[in-house]
Structure formats: C-alpha cells, structure tokens
C-alpha cells in the first residue's frame, strides 16, 4: 500500500470507530508499518486539516472528530442512471441489497431537480433482460443526454451512408448490444440505430420535442422493458 492509499485508509479506519480511539501500535499492526510511520502519517493528516487528535491515558490513541464526514457528493443525472444500471446487473448476487442501499444514500444527496432528470432519463432506457455487456460507443452515447436534434451519417447493412436528422428518444439494450432509438426525420417515423453504424453525429441547437415512445413503433423482435428509477432507486419493469 502506498502512502496516499494508507492516509486515506487511516482516515476511514478512524471514522469507522469514532469517537473511540485507535492506538498508534494498533494502527501500525493493522497497516503493517512502524509506529513511527503511523505517527508521521497522523501528523501529515493534521497538517492537511483533517481533525485527528490524540487522547492520552491507558486506553488513549488517535481519534477522528465525529463531525468530520465525507464532502458533499452530488451525482449528475447521467451518473445516477449509470450506477442504477450497474446495480441492475448485480441481481441475484449477495451484494444486491447493500448496493441498492448505497445508491439510495448517494442519490439522497442530489438536488431534487437532478433526481427528476435522472428518473426521466432512466425512463428512456429500454431493456430486454440485463444491460448488455458491450458499452455504448461514445459517439452515440451522448445523444440522449444532450436533448438536441442530431445530424448523423448512418451506414446501412450494405455500407451505403445516408445523412439524416434524428430526435433521440432513448436507448434499447438487447442481447449483447445497445441501440439508439430516435425519431428519424428522413423516414418520418421511429427508427432504431446501431451505434456502430453511426459514422458521424453532430448535435444541433434545436431542442428535441417530446414524443411518446411506444414499443409498437420499434422494429425490434424483442419485448423491451423500460428501465426506471423507483422510489427506492432500484430498477424495475414498467
């Protein structure tokens, strides 16, 4: 463990037992360093402003001020949805419930308007089963979040490229692949685009108009369950 990691671990150890103290010898054994090294680390933490103080006496040691907490954590709507999607893939594991609890705590620190935006974005993600293992390419990965009409070049199965303007509506995760769902102005209908066939994507200044997304308008031979953030921020079928 390098020194930076050890300093962070020292704070977390003291935070976990606060307001009880930990002796320098106990900490030295815990991190497999000398007592002198622990004392230097504690001194460095104090000089950086971390509220660590020493308690004297037979049961004394180093303590962390119980008012010392993690700095505010503000997730963006996209980050909250990304975490919830990752949580979806943990279904059936022993860590499903602890992970859900951690996500709720993090989202509780978000601004109400960001929570609303996260739920709106999550409602535009449609899944058939678990999220695909293949990541969404960055080229199209920005499409839903920007809420702007996109001007794209799209290659069909024969390699012919057409230029078109599309209004992003959401994502579809099917099997091992992600798809972009959008209203295609060239076809005047909802279309599903493979991101690996999008050759260019340029956001325009035009805002995307609200359009209801119906599964009946999707040309995909799978049932799609909308992914959503519920009250406890766990994914469910809608």
């Amino acid at each position: 463990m390098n020194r930076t990691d050890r300093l962070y671990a020292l704070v977390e150890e003291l935070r976990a037992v606060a307001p009880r103290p930990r002796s320098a010898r106990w900490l030295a054994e815990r991190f497999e360093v000398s007592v002198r090294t622990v004392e230097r680390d504690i001194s460095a933490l104090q000089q950086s402003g971390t509220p660590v103080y020493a308690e004297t006496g037979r049961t004394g040691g180093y303590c962390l001020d119980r008012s010392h907490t993690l700095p505010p954590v503000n997730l963006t709507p996209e980050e909250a949805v990304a975490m919830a999607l990752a949580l979806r893939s943990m279904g059936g594991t022993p860590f499903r419930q602890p992970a859900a609890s951690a996500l709720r705590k993090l989202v509780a620190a978000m601004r109400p308007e960001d929570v609303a935006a996260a739920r709106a974005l999550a409602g535009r993600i449609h899944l058939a089963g678990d999220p695909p293992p293949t990541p969404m390419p960055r080229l199209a990965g920005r499409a839903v979040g920007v809420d702007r009409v996109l001007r794209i070049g799209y290659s069909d199965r024969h390699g012919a490229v057409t230029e078109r303007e599309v209004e992003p509506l959401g994502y579809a995760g099917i099997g091992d692949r992600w798809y972009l769902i959008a209203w295609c102005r060239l076809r005047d209908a909802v279309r599903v685009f493979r991101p690996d066939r999008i050759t260019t994507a340029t956001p325009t200044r035009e805002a995307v108009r609200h359009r209801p997304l119906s599964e009946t308008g999707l040309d995909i031979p799978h049932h799609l369950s909308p992914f959503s953030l519920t009250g406890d921020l766990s994914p469910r079928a809608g």
Side-chain angles (χ1 to χ4, degrees):
M1 181 183 293
N2 61 42
R3 188 168 189 246
T4 299
D5 290 340
R6 190 173 65 249
L7 290 174
Y8 178 83
L10 273 170
V11 173
E12 291 306 302
E13 178 62 41
L14 294 176
R15 188 199 313 280
V17 298
R20 291 175 293 146
R22 287 293 196 201
S23 69
R25 185 172 300 279
W26 191 98
L27 292 169
E29 293 176 356
R30 167 69 176 80
F31 296 106
E32 300 179 345
V33 295
S34 67
V35 171
R36 180 58 180 160
T37 295
V38 169
E39 292 172 346
R40 285 198 297 264
D41 287 347
I42 293 295
S43 177
L45 289 170
Q46 291 171 331
Q47 292 176 26
S48 70
T50 304
V52 179
Y53 61 93
E55 277 191 354
T56 59
R58 185 174 61 85
T59 59
Y62 294 108
C63 301
L64 183 70
D65 187 340
R66 65 168 58 191
S67 65
H68 182 70
T69 59
L70 288 171
V73 178
N74 290 316
L75 299 179
T76 66
E78 293 79 9
E79 288 170 340
V81 172
M83 291 184 67
L85 278 168
L87 179 61
R88 170 74 174 258
S89 66
M90 295 182 66
T93 72
F95 303 101
R96 175 66 175 85
Q97 291 304 320
S101 176
L103 179 61
R104 288 196 295 271
K105 291 176 181 178
L106 286 172
V107 177
M110 293 173 61
R111 298 178 302 177
E113 56 269 32
D114 287 340
V115 174
R119 288 190 174 126
L121 175 58
R124 295 160 70 179
I125 298 174
H126 294 247
L127 299 173
D130 291 329
T134 303
M136 173 71 90
R138 285 186 61 86
L139 181 66
R142 300 190 302 263
V144 172
V146 297
D147 289 328
R148 290 290 184 270
V149 174
L150 289 178
R151 187 172 294 114
I152 69 171
Y154 192 70
S155 174
D156 65 17
R157 68 184 64 184
H158 304 295
V161 177
T162 56
E163 300 293 329
R164 59 184 80 189
E165 289 187 346
V166 300
E167 303 174 25
L169 300 176
Y171 294 122
I174 305 168
D176 62 352
R177 190 185 297 275
W178 284 102
Y179 297 84
L180 170 66
I181 308 171
W183 179 270
C184 177
R185 292 181 173 177
L186 179 64
R187 306 303 183 196
D188 197 29
V190 173
R191 288 291 185 268
V192 179
F193 299 95
R194 280 180 46 170
D196 59 323
R197 290 183 178 174
I198 298 178
T199 58
T200 59
T202 305
T204 69
R205 294 185 178 183
E206 184 181 354
V208 173
R209 59 178 293 190
H210 175 72
R211 294 179 185 272
L213 183 58
S214 170
E215 293 180 17
T216 59
L218 302 179
D219 185 22
I220 300 178
H222 292 270
H223 172 71
L224 299 179
S225 298
F227 175 86
S228 63
L229 294 176
T230 63
D232 64 356
L233 296 172
S234 60
R236 64 173 175 84

